[in-house]
Amino acid sequence: MTVSLSSSLLSSYAVHPHRRALVLGGSSEARALATRIAADSRLAGVISLAGRTSAPIAHDLPTRVGGFGGVEGLTRYLVEERISHVIDATHPFAARISANARAACAVAGTPLLVLTRPPWICAQGDRWIDVDDNAAAARALGAAPRRVFLAIGRQGVANFRLAPQHDYLLRVIEPPQLADLPPSCEVIFGRGPFALEDEIALLREGRIEIVVTKNSGGALAYAKIEAARTLGLDVVMIARPVSLDAATTHSIDAAMAFLAS
C-alpha cells in the first residue's frame, strides 16, 4: 500500500498552500477531474485508489493506493497532509469509502463534494426489473433455470450462489474468488467501454436470457443496456446504495469551481 505523497506533490503544495485536493478515485469522472487539476497551476492534488485492480489506469495526478484505515485513518490523513478539499469521485457503488469520507470530512472540517455520473433511466423498450441489492437480484431471476449474464463485477457474485439453478456468464476485470462463484458459472475478462455490436454479439452467442447489472450510470457501460433492449431481454437493475446527505454534482466544471472556492 502506497500512502506517502510524492516529491512532486510536496513541492506543488509548497507553491499552492491553500489548494490541496484529495480525489477519491475509481471512476472515469475521477480520471477526467485529475487531468483538469493537473493542468491548473492554482491547484495541487493527489488521487487515491482502493487498489482492487492489479493494473489500474494511469492518472495525471500523484497517486496513492490502498485504504486509509477507516474514518480515523482518513481523518488523520486529511489533517496531516493539510488537505483543503475532498472530492468523492468513487464508483457509485463504493458505499463504504463514501460513508467514511463524509464522516472524516465532518470531523476534520474539510469541505466535501461528491462527483458522480447520473444514473441510467429506463427508456422505451427497456424491460427492467428494479431491485435493491445483489441478493434481491438473485431472487428476481426466478425458480426456472435461465442463462444469465452477470455484469456486476466480482463484488457480490457470491449472492448468486443462492440461485444455483441458473447458468451464469460473469464478466470481470480481476479474477473472482472461486469460492464465490455459483456452481455453473463461466468467467470472461474485459474492461469497458464496449461497443454496442460487440455486446449484442456477446448476448446472442452466449444464449443469454436475462441480464443482471448495477445502475452505474454513464456512457462507458451503457452498451449492454442498449444490447438488451435491442434483443428484447429482461434486465435486473440493481439500485445504487442510498447516499447520505452530501453536496453532489455531475459536472467536472462544478467540481473545479468547488476546488477554487
Side-chain angles (χ1 to χ4, degrees), residues 102-173:
R102 288 166 173 80
C105 286
V107 174
T110 307
L112 168 68
L113 179 69
V114 177
L115 172 63
T116 188
R117 65 197 72 156
W120 295 319
I121 303 298
C122 190
Q124 184 175 2
D126 285 333
R127 297 169 52 176
W128 287 11
I129 303 168
D130 293 307
V131 297
D132 290 334
D133 52 33
N134 289 332
R139 294 191 296 269
L141 295 175
R146 306 174 83 175
R147 177 71 169 161
V148 182
F149 179 41
L150 283 182
I152 62 169
R154 59 178 176 166
Q155 301 295 321
V157 69
N159 290 108
F160 293 88
R161 292 180 61 85
L162 302 173
Q165 70 273 28
H166 304 298
D167 187 18
Y168 296 96
L169 176 65
L170 171 68
R171 183 166 66 195
V172 293
I173 297 175

Side-chain angles (χ1 to χ4, degrees), residues 74-97:
L74 179 52
T75 303
R76 183 169 56 251
Y77 182 90
L78 297 178
V79 173
E80 292 179 351
E81 302 297 340
R82 294 179 292 154
I83 300 297
S84 64
H85 297 72
V86 175
I87 293 188
D88 176 4
T90 56
H91 189 276
F93 282 79
R96 178 175 297 178
I97 183 59

Side-chain angles (χ1 to χ4, degrees), residues 151-224:
I152 62 169
R154 59 178 176 166
Q155 301 295 321
V157 69
N159 290 108
F160 293 88
R161 292 180 61 85
L162 302 173
Q165 70 273 28
H166 304 298
D167 187 18
Y168 296 96
L169 176 65
L170 171 68
R171 183 166 66 195
V172 293
I173 297 175
E174 296 286 326
Q177 295 292 324
L178 293 180
D180 289 343
L181 298 179
S184 179
C185 185
E186 177 186 356
V187 179
I188 59 175
F189 296 89
R191 187 198 294 266
F194 303 99
L196 174 59
E197 56 269 26
D198 293 335
E199 295 291 76
I200 291 174
L202 175 67
L203 297 180
R204 279 179 171 160
E205 294 168 8
R207 298 173 289 105
I208 299 301
E209 299 173 89
I210 189 167
V211 175
V212 180
T213 189
K214 298 176 179 178
N215 196 337
S216 301
L220 294 181
Y222 191 64
K224 62 179 175 285

